[in-house]
Amino acid sequence: MSNSKPASAPRGIKERLIPPRRMTPAMREHTNSHQASRRKTNRRGWSFVSPLMALIIVLFVAPVLLVILMSASKWTLMGGDQGANFPENYAKVFADPLLQESIWFTLKYTLVTTLILMPLALGLALLVQESRRWNSILRTAILLPSALGIASSSLLFYALYSPQVGPLNPLLAKLGLMDAKASILGTPDSALWATVFLVVWRFAGYYMLLTMVGLQAIPGDVYEAARIDGAGRLQQFRSITLPMLRPTLAMTWIMSITGSLLAFDQFYILTKGGPNNSTVTVVQLIYKYAFETKKDLGMAAALSVLVLVALVVINFFQLRAMGVGGDEK
Amino acid sequence: MTKIRPIGRTTAIFAAMALGIAGLAACSNDNSGSTDKPTPESGIDEKPAAAGEVVMWSRAPLERQAKNAVDAYNASHDSKIKLEILPNDDVEGKVGAAVQTDTLPCLLAGDVVRVPYWTQQGVFMDINDRIDALPELKDLAVGHIDAGTYEGKKHTLPFVTDISVMVWNKALYEKAGLDPEQGPTTIKEFVEHSKAVAAVAGEGESGTYLSGQSGGALVFTLFPSMWASGVEVINADGTKAEVDSDPANAVYEAYRELNETANGLGAGSQEETGATWTAPFAEGRVGVMPYPFTAVTGMFEGNAFDVGVSGIPGTESGKVSTFLGGDALGISSSCGDVDAAWDFMSWLMTAEAQQEVFADNNDTASNLKVLADGYKDADPRTLIANDTIQYGRTPVAVNFNEAFNAAGSPWQLLVQNAVFGSGDSLAADNEAVTAILSQK
């Protein structure tokens, strides 16, 4: 593009500050070629983005539109599409007593998981961020569960919690915490905590890694300057680490909250929503509508749309509260 | 900096787009591959069935009986049946997905309590004329045919009949000082026998056992006691629950009493989701309980302990009943080779096939003639079980699965409250079952 720039000629200060009324042929040529090249750049840009656009349209926009269409239709699992019936599916979803229970349980689970997982991940990251002798082994050990799929780890814990074959029952019974024959997954509370334990075990290393990357991006000289100014460890953590880690923390909190709100696999395998529907999450309810109880894809789609809207709203307020996005404007 | 000529860039873009599309194609191939992939044990590849080969779906709990039927047919016929076994929990999802994508196999066997809903939703083909023309029709047990009858048109025939019976562990009965040859003849005796066994129970042993969180198993084991007591569990058109009658309450009270007795109701009964509910008795750790007969026949020979079998009693002596469960068989509405599929179905209904496939294997035949005459050499306990079939019932309701069988169903909650909970919400819980049954 530099070749189209007119050769620099000596000009007065006034000429340079005030735009000329009439365009000289050279300037016109400049503008034209600039526009043409911008058009060219635009075209090229679009063609570069098009594979991604195609992916987004095929894998995201089209399914979302289909789900919205489904949610406004009588569409059963075995019977297929039987025409529009808006807003019947939504009315049926709101009339289901299980909806309120599952929303309440999902929020409780999200709160418990996030409040345990996030401080733990930060603490672990602070612990292993400096490269001391044993830290690489420690890091690997903490990260290892993340290499296991959530379904596989759920199955693993299902066996661990089993009163028939698991090693935990006799152990807890010896400590006097429970009856040896009772099942760890047998009461609503213990089923919740058993699942929270699994999820913390599975995800602590993953969030530790994300937080650690954020920690290591904080330049060392900031800490050095603080030390010279006489700041203590706690003061450094409060005034340097936490503020500078904010974008990372915002990301991990949003990932943890969104992930917990969408929890499915662990409950599907570990508790199946039991005992007596006490651990049914919202996404599990979607699955139940579609494949277990109602076998009604319309109702499942209606609840999916509601969850999607709720998530967008929650994430919006979370980003606002974390002050992310504002910096970039 | 290296300069790329425009032509190079364009090529790169096209290449990238081609890659993207190829990636998409690969993705979709992967997806369809993984959803359609059969379970390993069925050993089915993804090629369409060969000419003259009909694919059939059945479910894992009845695998042995289904295999016997298909093997016998394939050995004597030119056209072949290819059997695919689905895990019990995945049946609804698999069938639903197959309906959406028009990939149902020609022959589809389903749990008899799910069949009314499938029929109403148009999963099965109307084969009313073919069924009516069957020479054996009058000899067939009607439960599985009724389940697939919608608006007067028949869609299904009986495939495998699974009934529930009362079983007891003769070794534990002797240990408890009970007559090992005499099972309970009333609900009251059932409690007495269970308590007697509980009194002498060793480590891990108990009087009886219940599958507290499996609506399906609870239906299978508790309904017969109510029928034997002369009451119904649902009304005739399947829209109203009647599981709050006095005899029904007597059944819940029996289990409630045993739950309050030390070792009366086996540990884990309240949480049992049905995955392992037959295991404690099979391992010899339970005194007496209602049980699936298909799981008993394997214990007749070479078992660690002797098993006693009788009909499931009600509140009065001398009356028994059973749940006529198992699978009904129909032709899917998208089947292309109806004649080949029908050939298997009609063959299976003949007396010879019923004898070979079911009677000779101690399993329950659906042809009543075979049931009466075909068990000359059979174990006497098989005869006892077969004798209860005449009193057996199959409840038919479109929303039966959601009301009773599904995980967390209102029926499951009813039993949980009545046996393990406060026990004072029976009427309200019965209403909750009705609310599901009466949906449009």
Side-chain angles (χ1 to χ4, degrees):
Chain A
M1 271 133 261
S2 58
N3 53 353
S4 61
K5 214 173 192 175
S8 56
R11 281 186 209 159
I13 184 87
K14 196 178 166 197
E15 226 181 339
R16 265 185 278 164
L17 283 178
I18 300 168
R21 295 256 163 80
R22 286 189 303 129
M23 286 188 178
T24 62
M27 288 168 82
R28 200 171 294 132
E29 193 200 320
H30 168 209
T31 320
N32 282 349
S33 83
H34 194 77
Q35 271 171 357
S37 101
R38 181 179 286 167
R39 265 203 303 276
K40 214 168 164 188
T41 317
N42 277 351
R43 255 211 318 276
R44 204 172 283 148
W46 277 109
S47 49
F48 271 122
V49 193
S50 55
L52 186 65
M53 290 290 286
L55 274 177
I56 289 176
I57 288 171
V58 171
L59 298 180
F60 181 74
V61 178
V64 166
L65 289 178
L66 181 65
V67 166
I68 292 174
L69 178 74
M70 260 182 170
S71 76
S73 312
K74 182 172 166 59
W75 198 317
T76 61
L77 183 62
M78 314 268 174
D81 187 6
Q82 292 155 43
N85 72 343
F86 184 81
E88 205 179 296
N89 289 327
Y90 290 88
K92 277 199 269 183
V93 168
F94 282 119
D96 186 5
L98 254 183
L99 176 70
Q100 208 183 336
E101 278 177 47
S102 69
I103 289 177
W104 174 236
F105 175 76
T106 308
L107 292 178
K108 190 162 109 180
Y109 167 76
T110 301
L111 195 74
V112 170
T113 310
T114 306
L115 285 186
I116 292 178
L117 199 49
M118 290 297 102
L120 187 69
L122 179 59
L124 287 174
L126 289 170
L127 197 71
V128 302
Q129 65 154 328
E130 288 156 42
S131 43
R132 292 200 203 94
R133 196 173 165 206
W134 295 105
N135 270 359
S136 55
I137 296 173
L138 205 58
R139 269 180 221 166
T140 316
I142 299 172
L143 191 62
L144 211 55
S146 306
L148 217 57
I150 182 81
S152 322
S153 27
S154 303
L155 268 180
L156 174 70
F157 274 72
Y158 185 78
L160 287 177
Y161 290 149
S162 156
Q164 276 94 30
V165 298
L168 289 177
N169 263 60
L171 214 68
L172 289 171
K174 245 180 212 149
L175 293 171
L177 290 172
M178 64 178 290
D179 186 7
K181 289 173 193 165
S183 168
I184 295 175
L185 299 169
T187 69
D189 278 339
S190 59
L192 168 65
W193 286 107
T195 313
V196 168
F197 184 77
L198 150 73
V199 165
V200 169
W201 175 83
R202 165 68 175 72
F203 283 101
Y206 176 68
Y207 286 114
M208 174 200 78
L209 194 70
L210 292 178
T211 316
M212 207 173 75
V213 172
L215 277 177
Q216 287 176 342
I218 301 174
D221 41 10
V222 186
Y223 287 106
E224 211 179 315
R227 269 200 298 277
I228 291 167
D229 287 344
R233 291 213 128 208
L234 194 67
Q235 228 172 343
Q236 284 179 33
F237 176 73
R238 261 212 326 259
S239 310
I240 298 172
T241 310
L242 275 188
M244 297 197 76
L245 206 55
R246 199 171 62 181
T248 308
L249 290 181
M251 178 185 71
T252 54
W253 277 76
I254 288 174
M255 281 172 73
S256 170
I257 290 177
T258 311
S260 307
L261 288 175
L262 293 176
F264 174 75
D265 320 39
Q266 57 269 48
F267 289 104
Y268 180 71
I269 292 173
L270 216 48
T271 70
K272 289 238 166 213
N276 301 330
N277 292 333
S278 62
T279 60
V280 175
T281 64
V282 175
V283 178
Q284 229 180 331
L285 194 59
I286 296 176
Y287 178 85
K288 277 171 97 82
Y289 283 165
F291 299 111
E292 276 184 15
T293 55
K294 312 279 184 193
K295 291 187 277 292
D296 186 338
L297 297 183
M299 273 178 82
L303 185 52
S304 305
V305 171
L306 294 174
V307 170
L308 180 67
V309 172
L311 274 183
V312 168
V313 171
I314 289 172
N315 281 348
F316 171 77
F317 280 109
Q318 251 189 321
L319 286 169
R320 289 276 298 266
M322 296 277 185
V324 179
D327 305 348
E328 289 167 17
K329 268 175 202 159
Chain B
M1 286 268 283
T2 49
K3 275 198 172 179
I4 305 170
R5 285 178 304 128
I7 179 75
R9 285 189 200 176
T10 323
T11 320
I13 291 160
F14 278 120
M17 285 172 76
L19 271 175
I21 289 160
L24 277 178
C27 277
S28 60
N29 277 344
D30 280 358
N31 286 344
S32 65
S34 65
T35 45
D36 290 343
K37 201 162 283 171
T39 44
E41 61 263 38
S42 61
I44 307 300
D45 51 38
E46 283 176 50
K47 277 177 288 186
E53 191 175 59
V54 178
V55 177
M56 173 167 129
W57 279 3
S58 183
R59 62 195 171 109
L62 304 176
E63 179 173 4
R64 188 170 59 85
Q65 289 82 355
K67 269 206 171 120
N68 287 343
V70 169
D71 288 349
Y73 178 84
N74 286 349
S76 57
H77 290 72
D78 288 336
S79 60
K80 303 289 177 220
I81 304 290
K82 205 171 201 179
L83 181 66
E84 291 183 28
I85 301 289
L86 308 182
N88 197 29
D89 287 348
D90 293 351
V91 170
E92 300 268 38
K94 275 275 212 182
V95 171
V99 168
Q100 296 289 322
T101 52
D102 259 344
T103 51
L104 271 179
C106 254
L107 283 165
L108 180 64
D111 189 333
V112 67
V113 299
R114 290 168 175 154
V115 163
Y117 181 75
W118 291 8
T119 309
Q120 185 223 34
Q121 293 287 314
V123 170
F124 292 117
M125 184 177 284
D126 174 1
I127 46 172
N128 192 52
D129 297 341
R130 287 176 192 255
I131 291 178
D132 279 344
L134 258 186
E136 296 88 3
L137 181 62
K138 61 180 190 322
D139 297 332
L140 296 178
V142 294
H144 290 47
I145 299 175
D146 285 350
T149 302
Y150 184 65
E151 291 179 340
K153 302 285 182 196
K154 301 185 184 75
H155 295 74
T156 56
L157 286 173
F159 179 46
V160 178
T161 304
D162 187 13
I163 61 174
S164 50
V165 290
M166 188 64 85
V167 294
W168 64 93
N169 182 327
K170 290 185 178 176
L172 284 177
Y173 262 48
E174 265 177 54
K175 191 173 153 193
L178 297 162
D179 177 3
E181 298 308 318
Q182 182 60 57
T185 58
T186 60
I187 293 286
K188 208 164 149 249
E189 272 185 30
F190 167 72
V191 177
E192 284 163 10
H193 290 189
S194 298
K195 279 187 169 173
V197 173
V200 298
E203 176 70 31
E205 291 176 350
S206 63
T208 188
Y209 193 76
L210 187 68
S211 185
Q213 305 228 1
S214 167
L218 289 171
V219 155
F220 195 61
T221 52
L222 302 188
F223 278 8
S225 287
M226 303 174 196
W227 288 322
S229 311
V231 293
E232 295 295 326
V233 291
I234 50 177
N235 67 350
D237 58 359
T239 54
K240 196 171 171 302
E242 296 174 359
V243 282
D244 59 347
S245 58
D246 287 342
N249 199 29
V251 175
Y252 312 136
E253 283 299 324
Y255 281 97
R256 195 179 174 79
E257 190 179 339
L258 289 171
N259 187 42
E260 287 158 3
T261 309
N263 294 323
L265 195 53
S269 287
Q270 187 178 356
E271 297 92 29
E272 175 64 61
T273 57
T276 55
W277 76 282
T278 57
F281 184 84
E283 289 161 7
R285 295 191 279 115
V286 174
V288 54
M289 71 183 283
Y291 210 69
F293 187 66
T294 48
V296 185
T297 46
M299 291 185 218
F300 283 173
E301 273 167 44
N303 204 36
F305 58 93
D306 258 347
V307 181
V309 172
S310 75
I312 298 177
T315 48
E316 280 166 52
S317 180
K319 295 252 175 71
V320 294
S321 185
T322 186
F323 191 102
L324 289 180
D327 279 15
L329 180 64
I331 299 175
S332 72
S333 48
S334 58
C335 180
D337 197 354
V338 182
D339 288 332
W342 176 251
D343 189 56
F344 173 73
M345 285 178 75
S346 52
W347 166 82
L348 189 61
M349 295 308 119
T350 60
E352 299 79 53
Q354 291 276 324
Q355 179 73 38
E356 181 190 355
V357 172
F358 299 109
D360 291 351
N361 291 309
N362 263 330
D363 287 320
T364 311
S366 309
N367 188 315
L368 300 177
K369 259 194 192 154
V370 175
L371 211 52
D373 311 327
Y375 292 82
K376 297 276 187 281
D377 310 320
D379 191 287
R381 288 165 292 192
T382 303
L383 299 180
I384 295 173
N386 286 350
D387 192 47
T388 66
I389 290 178
Q390 54 186 311
Y391 312 112
R393 306 281 293 273
T394 306
V396 177
V398 169
N399 294 314
F400 191 89
N401 187 66
E402 188 188 348
F404 292 100
N405 279 47
S409 70
W411 156 250
Q412 179 195 321
L413 302 185
L414 179 148
V415 175
Q416 284 276 327
N417 289 339
V419 175
F420 306 101
S422 58
D424 55 6
S425 55
L426 191 55
D429 288 342
N430 185 62
E431 274 308 300
V433 182
T434 297
I436 298 294
L437 283 177
S438 60
Q439 289 177 114
K440 44 128 185 77

